[in-house]
Amino acid sequence: DLFRVFQEIITNLLKHNKASEIRIYMRSSTLYTTLIIQDNGFYFSTTDIKNGTGLRNIELRANRLDAIYKYKSTPKGTRFIIGLNTSNL
């Protein structure tokens, strides 16, 4: 469920990104719910974490919710976006 996706992202950010700040935004309407989590931690590339299970777990859980899942990591931090149909909550 959405809480498990949220929990996995926060755990990974705290464990690997060494962020001093994490911002969480959630917007919900009758049609869609969007969760955005961003930090100011270390940059990572997908080749750095190719064998990691954290992102795979997040992606699998998001897929079970039929959610859209994206992330982007830059030298200024990482941002995760999860969007789903509110009826799937």
Side-chain angles (χ1 to χ4, degrees):
D1 68 338
L2 187 58
F3 177 75
R4 296 290 181 210
V5 173
F6 170 81
Q7 187 177 37
E8 186 77 33
I9 292 171
I10 296 297
T11 299
N12 286 338
L13 293 179
L14 292 172
K15 187 175 180 182
H16 301 293
N17 284 30
K18 309 291 189 237
S20 63
E21 184 176 304
I22 297 174
R23 294 182 181 195
I24 301 162
Y25 305 94
M26 187 168 190
R27 183 176 181 156
S28 188
S29 70
T30 55
L31 297 177
Y32 297 101
T33 297
T34 305
L35 177 65
I36 300 171
I37 303 169
Q38 62 187 34
D39 73 5
N40 64 347
F42 294 140
Y43 166 79
F44 66 88
S45 71
T46 53
T47 56
D48 293 338
I49 55 167
K50 193 172 187 177
N51 296 321
T53 58
L55 285 177
R56 271 197 308 247
N57 285 340
I58 294 166
E59 187 174 2
L60 288 171
R61 290 171 193 224
N63 286 340
R64 276 190 232 140
L65 289 169
D66 207 18
I68 297 167
Y69 161 73
K70 299 191 304 186
Y71 69 91
K72 183 175 183 180
S73 188
T74 70
K76 294 183 178 183
T78 301
R79 174 185 288 196
F80 289 87
I81 301 172
I82 295 99
L84 67 152
N85 189 313
T86 301
S87 65
N88 291 346
L89 292 177

